[in-house]
């Protein structure tokens, strides 16, 4: 048996190649939309990709099942409760896919979604009776379980799904041997759960000991815990989940359509027309000079996630990127189903240097901000981190407006004061500064290095 995990850090997304040397066959489980890496690796290993499995209709990214099927002829497999516009093989409980000396067995494990499955992997050379690993999708994470509320827009009750998840955990998964390795579809940073571990894998035995979901409790107690204190559900989640059910253009077709170089005049016209101009440079470069009205979400961070959270998918997107980064910027939007890019700035972001009317904002270090706060005319400090980060520590007197809420609450930010915005490390604050400036805030700066740099400089904080 050949087993190769993949991890896409910007989406906290894990996917897997399982191959059989005897039959030279491979299956890809929960692929990302850009599938070239799987195809190249399978070729290097002498394998043909014959199957692709989705453990469920993912909400936080658009999967690459259609791309793999188009490129390799692989059969698509979904849980038996799934309904989709494309042809697929339904996997009922205990249905198997045989690949020589490798067997894949589906467990129906509803709760995160109704159609969720777990894929048990058997290396028949080692043991024909017991699986070696469980690819659990978003049903079981390391340290947590999949949130049950994402199907509310489709009419599924979060409480009902939580109760089904209780049965899944305490009956289906708890009955697996302790040695079985757990490989989920997400790690820390994903919004598909609320307390995911940084560890990429575990075992059933370890999760029985440490994961809250396996602890002895009633179904009602489990449901209350599973539905409480859940993180933000981005607006694009329902859209992406629905897209995973549908026939749609493949990513390659989209890139051909969207990677069109346009002159600066077209970008400026787009801003005037209310389109979204997305500048993907790093904060330092964006702060020094950018097109007024553009939004900054840098490629170095969780670019696709924040684009999905903050951008209006009904508005056409135009890209401003360093030369050579346009394909990455467009492709990563395609990973979340933002397939409405119209083009990118010809000549790259360097072509705007020297243009009249560029906007800019200052960047202050911790000492400079501390001195400004001690002056007779202190700035207003805006903290755009999440509530739990704020509770742990924050600058005394600061205003909390989490970044995902800033667009809706921008009127609450004072216009008669200088604004210094900060986050944890400087990535979100640059996004926030661009939003504030787009809404007419002229005197804006951000804190270089965020609260981390403030603490490292021995500046005071308070707790809630």
């Amino acid at each position: 048996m050949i087993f190769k995990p993949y991890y896409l850090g910007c989406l906290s997304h894990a996917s897997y190649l399982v191959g059989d040397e005897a039959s030279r066959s491979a299956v890809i489980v929960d692929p990302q939309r850009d599938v070239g890496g799987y195809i190249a690796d399978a070729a290097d290993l002498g394998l043909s990709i014959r199957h692709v499995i989705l453990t469920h209709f993912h909400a936080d990214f658009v999967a690459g099942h259609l791309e793999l099927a188009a490129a390799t002829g692989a059969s698509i497999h979904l849980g038996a409760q799934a309904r989709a516009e494309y042809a697929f093989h339904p996997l009922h409980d205990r249905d198997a896919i045989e690949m020589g000396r490798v067997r894949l067995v589906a467990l129906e494990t509803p709760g995160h979604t109704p159609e969720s499955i777990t894929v048990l992997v058997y290396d028949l050379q080692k043991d024909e009776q017991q699986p070696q690993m469980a690819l659990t999708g978003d049903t079981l994470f390391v340290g947590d379980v999949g949130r049950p509320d994402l199907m509310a827009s489709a009419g599924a009750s979060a409480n009902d799904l939580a109760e089904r998840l209780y049965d899944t955990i305490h009956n289906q998964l708890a009955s697996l041997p302790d040695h079985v390795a757990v490989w989920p579809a997400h790690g820390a940073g994903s919004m598909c759960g609320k307390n995911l571990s940084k560890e990429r894998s575990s075992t059933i035995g370890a999760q029985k000991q440490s994961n809250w979901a396996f602890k002895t409790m009633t179904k009602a107690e489990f449901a209350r815990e599973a539905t409480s204190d859940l993180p933000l559900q981005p607006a694009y989640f329902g859209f992406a989940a629905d897209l995973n059910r549908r026939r749609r253009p493949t990513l390659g077709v989209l890139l051909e359509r969207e990677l069109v170089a346009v002159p600066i005049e077209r970008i400026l016209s787009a801003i005037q027309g209310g389109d979204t101009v997305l500048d993907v440079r790093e904060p330092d470069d964006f702060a020094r000079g950018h097109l007024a009205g553009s939004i900054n979400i840098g490629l170095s961070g969780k670019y696709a996630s924040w684009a999905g959270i903050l951008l209006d998918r009904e508005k056409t997107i135009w890209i401003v990127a360093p030369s050579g980064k346009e394909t990455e910027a467009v492709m990563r939007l395609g990973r979340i189903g933002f397939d409405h890019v119209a083009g990118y700035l010809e000549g790259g972001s360097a072509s705007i240097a020297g243009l009249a009317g560029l906007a800019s904002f200052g960047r202050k270090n911790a000492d400079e901000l501390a001195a400004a706060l001690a002056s007779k005319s202190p700035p207003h400090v805006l903290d755009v981190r999440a509530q739990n980060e704020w509770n742990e520590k924050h600058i005394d007197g600061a205003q909390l407006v989490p970044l995902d809420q800033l667009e809706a609450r921008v009127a609450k930010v004072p216009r008669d004061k200088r604004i210094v915005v900060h986050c944890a490390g400087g990535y979100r604050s640059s996004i926030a500064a661009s939003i504030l400036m787009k809404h007419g805030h002229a005197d804006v700066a951000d804190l270089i290095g965020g609260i981390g740099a403030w603490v490292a400089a021995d500046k005071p904080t308070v707790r809630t």
Side-chain angles (χ1 to χ4, degrees):
M1 186 179 79
I2 297 168
F3 178 68
K4 182 174 176 60
Y6 300 80
Y7 197 76
L8 186 61
C10 65
L11 290 173
S12 305
H13 164 223
S15 54
Y16 304 96
L17 179 153
V18 182
D20 171 57
E21 288 185 341
S23 63
R24 315 309 302 172
S25 301
V27 58
I28 309 297
V29 179
D30 290 332
Q32 63 194 61
R33 195 177 185 186
D34 44 313
V35 298
Y38 309 116
I39 294 170
D41 287 348
D44 288 345
L45 293 165
L47 304 174
S48 295
I49 298 173
R50 303 194 186 280
H51 308 277
V52 55
I53 300 174
L54 295 192
T55 56
H56 63 292
F57 293 125
H58 295 273
D60 58 320
F61 70 96
V62 175
H65 49 300
L66 298 185
E67 283 76 7
L68 279 173
T72 69
S75 299
I76 298 172
H77 302 263
L78 304 172
Q81 301 307 310
R83 300 293 180 266
E85 292 181 348
Y86 45 84
F88 68 92
H89 296 273
L91 292 173
H92 297 84
D93 198 58
R94 303 292 171 173
D95 280 353
I97 298 172
E98 303 283 352
M99 297 192 307
R101 295 190 291 261
V102 174
R103 177 181 298 140
L104 306 174
V105 175
L107 292 183
E108 290 189 279
T109 51
H112 176 62
T113 67
E115 79 286 349
S116 290
I117 58 172
T118 288
V119 179
L120 302 182
V121 182
Y122 291 73
D123 183 342
L124 301 180
Q125 277 193 314
K126 292 183 177 180
D127 191 332
E128 294 188 6
Q129 304 303 316
Q130 294 188 338
Q132 278 67 55
M133 59 185 69
L135 309 182
T136 55
D138 287 16
T139 297
L140 175 63
F141 297 126
V142 180
D144 202 2
V145 291
R147 58 193 292 178
D149 65 318
L150 298 184
M151 295 292 293
S153 61
S157 159
N159 191 75
D160 288 348
L161 283 175
E163 291 185 350
R164 297 182 72 184
L165 185 58
Y166 174 90
D167 292 332
T168 284
I169 296 298
H170 289 266
N171 298 328
Q172 287 276 55
L173 298 184
S175 65
L176 294 173
D178 285 354
H179 73 267
V180 171
V182 172
W183 289 91
H186 289 294
S190 170
M191 288 174 282
C192 292
K194 58 183 178 180
N195 191 34
L196 282 66
S197 170
K198 293 180 181 179
E199 299 298 320
R200 304 277 173 82
S201 66
S202 182
T203 65
I204 289 292
Q207 290 307 292
K208 288 178 184 177
Q209 294 295 317
S210 62
N211 191 319
W212 72 268
F214 285 93
K215 297 187 184 305
T216 301
M217 66 186 87
T218 67
K219 187 178 290 189
E221 289 170 338
F222 179 97
R224 281 195 296 272
E225 178 63 29
T227 56
S228 65
D229 299 322
L230 293 170
L232 156 81
Q233 182 182 153
Y236 83 93
F237 269 26
F239 167 75
D242 187 59
L243 204 57
N244 279 323
R245 297 179 177 88
R246 297 187 178 278
R247 286 184 175 275
R248 52 164 176 76
T250 62
L251 185 60
V253 170
L254 288 169
L255 292 179
E256 286 186 16
R257 185 182 77 197
E258 296 178 353
L259 285 170
V260 178
V262 299
I264 184 64
E265 292 79 13
R266 184 66 188 91
I267 301 291
L268 294 174
S269 174
I271 292 176
Q272 291 300 314
D275 289 350
T276 298
V277 173
L278 179 59
D279 191 318
V280 302
R281 291 178 295 164
E282 296 308 296
D284 272 344
D285 295 328
F286 182 80
R288 276 194 290 268
H290 57 269
L291 299 175
S294 60
I295 296 296
N296 176 230
I297 306 178
L299 287 174
S300 65
K302 287 189 173 291
Y303 163 76
S305 292
W306 280 114
I309 291 167
L310 298 173
L311 302 185
D312 185 346
R313 68 174 184 270
E314 301 300 325
K315 290 187 176 182
T316 300
I317 297 173
W318 305 81
I319 299 293
V320 175
S323 184
K325 292 291 187 178
E326 301 90 354
T327 298
E328 179 185 353
V330 175
M331 179 270 292
R332 288 173 64 182
L333 291 177
R335 285 175 177 164
I336 61 166
F338 272 51
D339 297 345
H340 47 285
V341 176
Y344 65 90
L345 177 60
E346 185 177 42
S349 52
S351 66
I352 69 173
L355 284 179
L358 290 181
S360 63
F361 61 86
R363 308 203 75 205
K364 294 186 178 294
N365 61 36
D367 288 336
E368 290 170 333
L369 176 56
L373 290 173
S375 70
K376 293 181 179 179
S377 179
H380 180 77
V381 177
L382 178 66
D383 188 332
V384 295
R385 297 175 299 153
Q387 181 73 54
N388 63 321
E389 296 174 282
W390 164 275
N391 293 345
E392 183 66 25
K393 56 179 173 289
H394 58 269
I395 297 172
D396 194 21
Q399 177 189 14
L400 174 67
V401 182
L403 179 57
D404 60 282
Q405 301 173 27
L406 181 58
E407 188 88 31
R409 295 174 56 188
V410 71
K412 301 293 185 181
V413 181
R415 288 184 175 272
D416 57 347
K417 292 185 177 182
R418 293 175 294 148
I419 305 296
V420 178
V421 59
H422 83 83
C423 59
Y427 181 79
R428 285 173 286 177
S429 62
S430 183
I431 301 172
S434 71
I435 293 172
L436 290 171
M437 296 185 73
K438 182 180 179 181
H439 284 274
H441 286 264
D443 195 351
V444 177
D446 79 332
L447 175 61
I448 299 169
I451 197 76
W454 179 265
V455 171
D458 293 324
K459 306 305 181 186
T461 61
V462 295
R463 290 175 60 96
T464 296

